[in-house]
mmCIF file of all heavy atoms in Angstrom:
data_model
loop_
_atom_site.group_PDB
_atom_site.id
_atom_site.type_symbol
_atom_site.label_atom_id
_atom_site.label_comp_id
_atom_site.label_asym_id
_atom_site.label_seq_id
_atom_site.Cartn_x
_atom_site.Cartn_y
_atom_site.Cartn_z
ATOM 1 N N GLU Z 119 44.317 -15.084 95.628
ATOM 2 C CA GLU Z 119 44.837 -16.376 96.048
ATOM 3 C C GLU Z 119 44.669 -16.606 97.585
ATOM 4 O O GLU Z 119 44.273 -17.712 98.034
ATOM 5 C CB GLU Z 119 46.336 -16.515 95.705
ATOM 6 C CG GLU Z 119 46.584 -16.518 94.223
ATOM 7 C CD GLU Z 119 48.058 -16.709 93.898
ATOM 8 O OE1 GLU Z 119 48.839 -16.831 94.835
ATOM 9 O OE2 GLU Z 119 48.402 -16.743 92.689
ATOM 10 N N THR Z 120 44.910 -15.610 98.338
ATOM 11 C CA THR Z 120 44.823 -15.723 99.832
ATOM 12 C C THR Z 120 43.494 -15.273 100.391
ATOM 13 O O THR Z 120 43.117 -15.571 101.512
ATOM 14 C CB THR Z 120 45.927 -14.893 100.520
ATOM 15 O OG1 THR Z 120 45.762 -13.507 100.199
ATOM 16 C CG2 THR Z 120 47.288 -15.353 100.011
ATOM 17 N N GLY Z 121 42.735 -14.466 99.567
ATOM 18 C CA GLY Z 121 41.487 -13.938 100.062
ATOM 19 C C GLY Z 121 41.656 -12.787 101.023
ATOM 20 O O GLY Z 121 40.691 -12.408 101.712
ATOM 21 N N VAL Z 122 42.845 -12.232 101.101
ATOM 22 C CA VAL Z 122 43.120 -11.128 101.992
ATOM 23 C C VAL Z 122 42.952 -9.775 101.356
ATOM 24 O O VAL Z 122 43.392 -9.554 100.237
ATOM 25 C CB VAL Z 122 44.553 -11.254 102.566
ATOM 26 C CG1 VAL Z 122 44.942 -10.041 103.429
ATOM 27 C CG2 VAL Z 122 44.727 -12.550 103.375
ATOM 28 N N VAL Z 123 42.211 -8.922 102.036
ATOM 29 C CA VAL Z 123 42.072 -7.516 101.594
ATOM 30 C C VAL Z 123 43.054 -6.677 102.373
ATOM 31 O O VAL Z 123 43.119 -6.789 103.625
ATOM 32 C CB VAL Z 123 40.616 -7.009 101.770
ATOM 33 C CG1 VAL Z 123 40.565 -5.500 101.530
ATOM 34 C CG2 VAL Z 123 39.695 -7.735 100.823
ATOM 35 N N THR Z 124 43.850 -5.862 101.745
ATOM 36 C CA THR Z 124 44.800 -4.991 102.372
ATOM 37 C C THR Z 124 44.446 -3.501 102.106
ATOM 38 O O THR Z 124 44.224 -3.117 100.976
ATOM 39 C CB THR Z 124 46.197 -5.257 101.840
ATOM 40 O OG1 THR Z 124 46.573 -6.602 102.022
ATOM 41 C CG2 THR Z 124 47.216 -4.368 102.573
ATOM 42 N N VAL Z 125 44.427 -2.756 103.225
ATOM 43 C CA VAL Z 125 44.130 -1.301 103.093
ATOM 44 C C VAL Z 125 45.420 -0.650 103.582
ATOM 45 O O VAL Z 125 45.958 -0.884 104.640
ATOM 46 C CB VAL Z 125 42.952 -0.915 104.004
ATOM 47 C CG1 VAL Z 125 42.788 0.638 103.949
ATOM 48 C CG2 VAL Z 125 41.676 -1.641 103.626
ATOM 49 N N THR Z 126 45.880 0.336 102.730
ATOM 50 C CA THR Z 126 47.051 1.116 103.186
ATOM 51 C C THR Z 126 46.704 2.595 103.105
ATOM 52 O O THR Z 126 46.076 3.055 102.164
ATOM 53 C CB THR Z 126 48.263 0.811 102.203
ATOM 54 O OG1 THR Z 126 47.884 1.034 100.847
ATOM 55 C CG2 THR Z 126 48.768 -0.581 102.396
ATOM 56 N N ALA Z 127 47.095 3.303 104.147
ATOM 57 C CA ALA Z 127 46.968 4.705 104.195
ATOM 58 C C ALA Z 127 48.163 5.281 104.938
ATOM 59 O O ALA Z 127 49.060 4.548 105.339
ATOM 60 C CB ALA Z 127 45.658 5.093 104.947
ATOM 61 N N GLU Z 128 48.219 6.598 105.074
ATOM 62 C CA GLU Z 128 49.382 7.169 105.765
ATOM 63 C C GLU Z 128 49.473 6.670 107.186
ATOM 64 O O GLU Z 128 48.605 6.866 108.020
ATOM 65 C CB GLU Z 128 49.315 8.701 105.736
ATOM 66 C CG GLU Z 128 50.504 9.378 106.286
ATOM 67 C CD GLU Z 128 50.426 10.904 106.243
ATOM 68 O OE1 GLU Z 128 49.408 11.399 105.641
ATOM 69 O OE2 GLU Z 128 51.354 11.560 106.692
ATOM 70 N N GLY Z 129 50.586 6.003 107.488
ATOM 71 C CA GLY Z 129 50.813 5.455 108.841
ATOM 72 C C GLY Z 129 49.989 4.275 109.208
ATOM 73 O O GLY Z 129 49.918 3.968 110.401
ATOM 74 N N LEU Z 130 49.346 3.597 108.249
ATOM 75 C CA LEU Z 130 48.436 2.510 108.593
ATOM 76 C C LEU Z 130 48.428 1.422 107.555
ATOM 77 O O LEU Z 130 48.428 1.701 106.333
ATOM 78 C CB LEU Z 130 46.997 3.059 108.738
ATOM 79 C CG LEU Z 130 45.903 2.050 109.079
ATOM 80 C CD1 LEU Z 130 46.171 1.399 110.419
ATOM 81 C CD2 LEU Z 130 44.544 2.716 109.009
ATOM 82 N N LYS Z 131 48.443 0.169 108.006
ATOM 83 C CA LYS Z 131 48.211 -0.950 107.102
ATOM 84 C C LYS Z 131 47.235 -1.929 107.827
ATOM 85 O O LYS Z 131 47.451 -2.315 108.978
ATOM 86 C CB LYS Z 131 49.525 -1.702 106.849
ATOM 87 C CG LYS Z 131 49.361 -2.915 105.979
ATOM 88 C CD LYS Z 131 50.675 -3.624 105.714
ATOM 89 C CE LYS Z 131 50.474 -4.862 104.845
ATOM 90 N NZ LYS Z 131 51.740 -5.573 104.542
ATOM 91 N N ILE Z 132 46.183 -2.276 107.113
ATOM 92 C CA ILE Z 132 45.151 -3.165 107.622
ATOM 93 C C ILE Z 132 45.067 -4.405 106.709
ATOM 94 O O ILE Z 132 45.154 -4.272 105.466
ATOM 95 C CB ILE Z 132 43.782 -2.492 107.640
ATOM 96 C CG1 ILE Z 132 43.777 -1.288 108.597
ATOM 97 C CG2 ILE Z 132 42.643 -3.480 107.951
ATOM 98 C CD1 ILE Z 132 42.514 -0.442 108.509
ATOM 99 N N THR Z 133 44.956 -5.579 107.344
ATOM 100 C CA THR Z 133 44.621 -6.782 106.557
ATOM 101 C C THR Z 133 43.446 -7.482 107.188
ATOM 102 O O THR Z 133 43.289 -7.483 108.399
ATOM 103 C CB THR Z 133 45.829 -7.734 106.529
ATOM 104 O OG1 THR Z 133 46.241 -8.050 107.874
ATOM 105 C CG2 THR Z 133 47.017 -7.123 105.815
ATOM 106 N N ALA Z 134 42.593 -8.048 106.322
ATOM 107 C CA ALA Z 134 41.431 -8.760 106.778
ATOM 108 C C ALA Z 134 41.110 -9.895 105.815
ATOM 109 O O ALA Z 134 41.342 -9.733 104.624
ATOM 110 C CB ALA Z 134 40.236 -7.803 106.899
ATOM 111 N N ARG Z 135 40.571 -10.993 106.385
ATOM 112 C CA ARG Z 135 40.241 -12.133 105.584
ATOM 113 C C ARG Z 135 38.878 -12.672 106.043
ATOM 114 O O ARG Z 135 38.634 -12.796 107.218
ATOM 115 C CB ARG Z 135 41.304 -13.219 105.667
ATOM 116 C CG ARG Z 135 41.025 -14.473 104.809
ATOM 117 C CD ARG Z 135 42.237 -15.414 104.907
ATOM 118 N NE ARG Z 135 42.510 -15.755 106.280
ATOM 119 C CZ ARG Z 135 43.636 -16.402 106.640
ATOM 120 N NH1 ARG Z 135 44.516 -16.735 105.724
ATOM 121 N NH2 ARG Z 135 43.862 -16.688 107.902
ATOM 122 N N GLU Z 136 38.050 -13.023 105.076
ATOM 123 C CA GLU Z 136 36.697 -13.538 105.370
ATOM 124 C C GLU Z 136 36.795 -14.740 106.317
ATOM 125 O O GLU Z 136 37.619 -15.630 106.082
ATOM 126 C CB GLU Z 136 36.000 -13.898 104.098
ATOM 127 C CG GLU Z 136 34.550 -14.446 104.336
ATOM 128 C CD GLU Z 136 33.888 -14.922 103.094
ATOM 129 O OE1 GLU Z 136 34.542 -14.914 102.024
ATOM 130 O OE2 GLU Z 136 32.684 -15.282 103.166
ATOM 131 N N GLY Z 137 35.963 -14.704 107.358
ATOM 132 C CA GLY Z 137 35.943 -15.799 108.273
ATOM 133 C C GLY Z 137 36.829 -15.644 109.506
ATOM 134 O O GLY Z 137 36.553 -16.294 110.564
ATOM 135 N N ASP Z 138 37.824 -14.820 109.421
ATOM 136 C CA ASP Z 138 38.670 -14.565 110.602
ATOM 137 C C ASP Z 138 37.881 -13.805 111.673
ATOM 138 O O ASP Z 138 37.062 -12.982 111.382
ATOM 139 C CB ASP Z 138 39.922 -13.749 110.228
ATOM 140 C CG ASP Z 138 40.988 -14.612 109.505
ATOM 141 O OD1 ASP Z 138 40.795 -15.857 109.489
ATOM 142 O OD2 ASP Z 138 41.961 -14.025 109.019
ATOM 143 N N LEU Z 139 38.231 -14.060 112.931
ATOM 144 C CA LEU Z 139 37.561 -13.410 114.051
ATOM 145 C C LEU Z 139 38.291 -12.144 114.451
ATOM 146 O O LEU Z 139 38.035 -11.572 115.521
ATOM 147 C CB LEU Z 139 37.459 -14.319 115.251
ATOM 148 C CG LEU Z 139 36.640 -15.614 115.080
ATOM 149 C CD1 LEU Z 139 36.685 -16.430 116.330
ATOM 150 C CD2 LEU Z 139 35.171 -15.215 114.741
ATOM 151 N N TYR Z 140 39.107 -11.645 113.565
ATOM 152 C CA TYR Z 140 39.911 -10.430 113.884
ATOM 153 C C TYR Z 140 40.329 -9.729 112.576
ATOM 154 O O TYR Z 140 40.264 -10.303 111.520
ATOM 155 C CB TYR Z 140 41.119 -10.821 114.703
ATOM 156 C CG TYR Z 140 41.990 -11.849 114.021
ATOM 157 C CD1 TYR Z 140 42.958 -11.446 113.115
ATOM 158 C CD2 TYR Z 140 41.870 -13.210 114.314
ATOM 159 C CE1 TYR Z 140 43.740 -12.414 112.472
ATOM 160 C CE2 TYR Z 140 42.607 -14.127 113.716
ATOM 161 C CZ TYR Z 140 43.584 -13.774 112.771
ATOM 162 O OH TYR Z 140 44.356 -14.694 112.130
#
Side-chain angles (χ1 to χ4, degrees):
E119 294 183 1
T120 63
V122 173
V123 171
T124 302
V125 178
T126 53
E128 185 176 357
L130 178 64
K131 180 180 179 180
I132 295 172
T133 57
R135 181 174 55 190
E136 181 184 5
D138 284 350
L139 296 178
Y140 56 84

